[in-house]
Amino acid sequence: MTTTIDVLDASGAKTGTVDLPEEVFGTKVNVPLIHQVVVAQLAARRQGTHATKTRGDVSGGGKKPYRQKGTGRARQGSTRAPQFAGGGTVHGPQPRSYVQRTPKKMKAAALKGALSDRAGGGRVHVVSSLVTGETPKTKAALEALRKITQARSVLVVVDENDEVTWLSLRNAPEVHLLDAGQLNTYDVLCHDDVVFTREAYDQVVARLANSGKEEA
């Protein structure tokens, strides 16, 4: 069953309706899949530049600290061995990549599940615009947004060329802006409501509705 929601303008008035396609906003929420995709997404953000010095990297220690036999102590060849203060680190972190391979089909399925969860709770909204005119206005954009949703944190998805909306909301702490091509599972789950501009909504639906066909 396809759900229909209202398209609102900057004043909060209804300007039309859009259907939320069942294949995008009505899929089964697969929690393990979503968890796997989110973990992979967060892992990919890690720089992996951490490094510790092994005994081969620590300076000094070239001279044998004392003779091999006759001292009653264990034999030692260097003061830079791990058991000495100032020595190298054993099994410490080294530079590495944390990237996990995640197939496109899995990413699309997880995103659909996240959007379906938000849509099921009535937390997906579509607007014709948040700013009237050609001049960026943060106060007006936030007032328009509050007429649509009172959520504490809002994900606003816009067309990448919608410069007026970008400039109006980019510094609002309660708003996270994304263009339609960057929409991802993690950001959908991190925010209470998702607000699409009409252009961005059409782009996201076109991309996700065809994702299964492309993989087939």
Side-chain angles (χ1 to χ4, degrees):
M1 179 179 179
T2 302
T3 303
T4 301
I5 63 173
D6 295 334
V7 178
L8 306 178
D9 60 14
S11 65
K14 178 181 176 181
T15 60
T17 61
V18 292
D19 292 331
L20 300 181
E22 186 75 15
E23 65 270 20
V24 177
F25 294 93
T27 64
K28 182 180 178 181
V29 180
N30 187 335
V31 175
L33 172 64
I34 291 176
H35 177 267
Q36 182 177 348
V37 170
V38 169
V39 168
Q41 184 177 342
L42 294 179
R45 295 183 179 183
R46 299 184 65 175
Q47 288 183 318
T49 54
H50 42 42
T52 54
K53 291 184 178 181
T54 65
R55 63 181 296 172
D57 300 319
V58 180
S59 62
K63 179 183 177 182
K64 189 174 177 66
Y66 47 81
R67 60 195 176 96
Q68 181 86 345
K69 296 179 180 295
T71 64
R73 300 176 63 186
R75 57 190 178 184
Q76 301 292 341
S78 172
T79 56
R80 295 300 181 262
Q83 66 268 28
F84 290 108
T89 301
V90 181
H91 304 309
Q94 295 295 319
R96 56 164 289 194
S97 170
Y98 284 92
V99 173
Q100 301 179 20
R101 180 182 176 274
T102 309
K104 291 182 180 179
K105 190 173 182 179
M106 288 177 58
K107 292 180 182 178
L111 179 54
K112 290 178 183 179
L115 290 173
S116 297
D117 176 74
R118 292 296 181 262
R123 293 187 286 174
V124 171
H125 314 275
V126 179
V127 296
S128 57
S129 66
L130 288 171
V131 184
T132 57
E134 300 299 324
T135 304
K137 298 177 182 178
T138 299
K139 182 178 179 180
L142 289 176
E143 289 176 352
L145 193 61
R146 287 309 170 204
K147 292 177 182 177
I148 298 165
T149 174
Q150 295 296 320
R152 185 181 62 178
S153 63
V154 182
L155 174 64
V156 178
V157 187
V158 302
D159 178 74
E160 63 178 348
N161 297 317
D162 189 354
E163 186 175 352
V164 175
T165 305
W166 274 103
L167 295 177
S168 297
L169 292 175
R170 62 181 178 176
N171 291 325
E174 66 271 37
V175 176
H176 184 60
L177 277 170
L178 283 180
D179 71 58
Q182 294 178 324
L183 185 63
N184 60 83
T185 305
Y186 177 74
D187 284 318
V188 171
L189 296 178
C190 278
H191 297 85
D192 298 323
D193 279 29
V194 183
V195 177
F196 294 91
T197 62
R198 183 57 190 267
E199 294 79 8
Y201 173 81
D202 291 339
Q203 293 173 26
V204 170
V205 169
R207 173 164 63 95
L208 293 179
N210 293 328
S211 62
K213 300 176 182 178
E214 293 174 358
E215 296 292 336

